[in-house]
Amino acid sequence: MPLPTFFNLPDEKRQRILECAIEEFAQHDFDSASISQIVARAGIAKGSLYQYFTDKDDLYRYLIDLASQKKSQMLAGAQPPDPGMNIFDTLRWLFREMANFELRYPGLARIGYRALYGKSPLPEGVMEKGRQSTMQYFTRLIEQGKQRGEVRAEVDAEAAAFIFTAALTELGSFLASQPGQITGRIGSEEDPATLTRVQEKYDQMIAILQHGMA
């Protein structure tokens, strides 16, 4: 966690350091991320950074925690509009909520993706737990859909869950490939037209999944 000196910084300087760190770790795995690049963009001395974080690992873990906090905050207040929605409407809702996070915090989302699927100093057990939790959620959702007749009985729930998990974890890469749609700044708000365009793309993706299963 950051040292107390980091939280004593003026808001603007603290924000600038965070944004530069997020940009670097979003573009590179942990090993290749450069502290020198971070401090150069932030306009501070390298020694100053070590007054705020004990080392590179400390900074990285703080960014992972920050990503988790921001996602939890967004999803905490998000509830399905209708608890009785079928599996495909539930997926549309879930993917839209995730798209909101990816659009608002693209750098943090990419860092989380790299932590799960790239090289990370975090224990593999922590990473695997996150992957398995997502797989289990989708497997339960698909089994419920089969019981209600929304999904064909012969569909392998685990195989389908893998497809959903892969689609969900690739949100960041997909959104990042859309020119002019992501600001990359912490807490930035995207315009309604942008969000609508992204949601339309995910509606098309869910339609593809649905017609392959229903």
Side-chain angles (χ1 to χ4, degrees):
M1 292 298 292
L3 299 171
T5 49
F6 180 69
F7 296 108
N8 292 333
L9 289 172
D11 290 344
E12 182 179 350
K13 184 174 183 178
R14 187 170 63 249
Q15 186 84 350
R16 183 172 72 252
I17 293 172
L18 276 179
E19 288 178 352
C20 293
I22 289 171
E23 180 181 357
E24 181 68 14
F25 282 104
Q27 294 177 355
H28 305 281
D29 285 330
F30 177 82
D31 289 343
S32 57
S34 170
I35 292 295
S36 296
Q37 290 294 325
I38 293 173
V39 298
R41 286 195 292 264
I44 63 173
K46 183 179 289 188
S48 297
L49 188 68
Y50 294 118
Q51 294 177 9
Y52 312 139
F53 298 90
T54 56
D55 52 25
K56 180 180 177 180
D57 185 79
D58 188 32
L59 172 58
Y60 176 76
R61 289 174 183 268
Y62 177 65
L63 296 181
I64 293 293
D65 286 342
L66 184 61
S68 178
Q69 291 172 18
K70 294 297 185 182
K71 182 177 291 187
S72 296
Q73 290 171 4
M74 286 193 67
L75 295 181
Q79 297 295 329
D82 179 4
M85 290 190 304
N86 65 39
I87 178 176
F88 299 105
D89 286 338
T90 299
L91 284 171
R92 288 185 179 92
W93 168 80
L94 177 63
F95 279 35
R96 287 181 183 184
E97 291 301 318
M98 292 305 299
N100 288 338
F101 176 76
E102 299 280 350
L103 280 170
R104 191 171 183 184
Y105 304 105
L108 290 176
R110 188 62 181 170
I111 290 173
Y113 175 81
R114 285 186 177 278
L116 282 172
Y117 299 97
K119 294 181 179 179
S120 168
L122 298 180
E124 177 58 29
V126 174
M127 301 294 95
E128 183 60 25
K129 184 178 180 180
R131 288 189 286 264
Q132 289 300 319
S133 177
T134 303
M135 279 284 294
Q136 290 170 5
Y137 172 82
F138 283 127
T139 300
R140 289 195 301 270
L141 190 65
I142 294 163
E143 290 290 2
Q144 292 171 3
K146 290 169 68 173
Q147 293 172 8
R148 295 195 296 259
E150 299 163 359
V151 177
R152 295 199 311 269
E154 67 270 22
V155 168
D156 185 305
E158 289 189 357
F162 173 80
I163 294 173
F164 290 156
T165 301
L168 187 61
T169 53
E170 283 295 332
L171 278 170
S173 297
F174 178 80
L175 292 175
S177 70
Q178 305 302 300
Q181 290 194 359
I182 296 178
T183 64
R185 298 183 64 82
I186 304 172
S188 63
E189 295 286 355
E190 299 298 328
D191 65 274
T194 293
L195 188 55
T196 296
R197 289 196 300 272
V198 173
Q199 288 176 345
E200 288 174 349
K201 292 180 183 296
Y202 283 102
D203 284 342
Q204 292 177 16
M205 183 174 69
I206 296 299
I208 294 170
L209 294 173
Q210 180 175 0
H211 292 306
M213 293 172 56

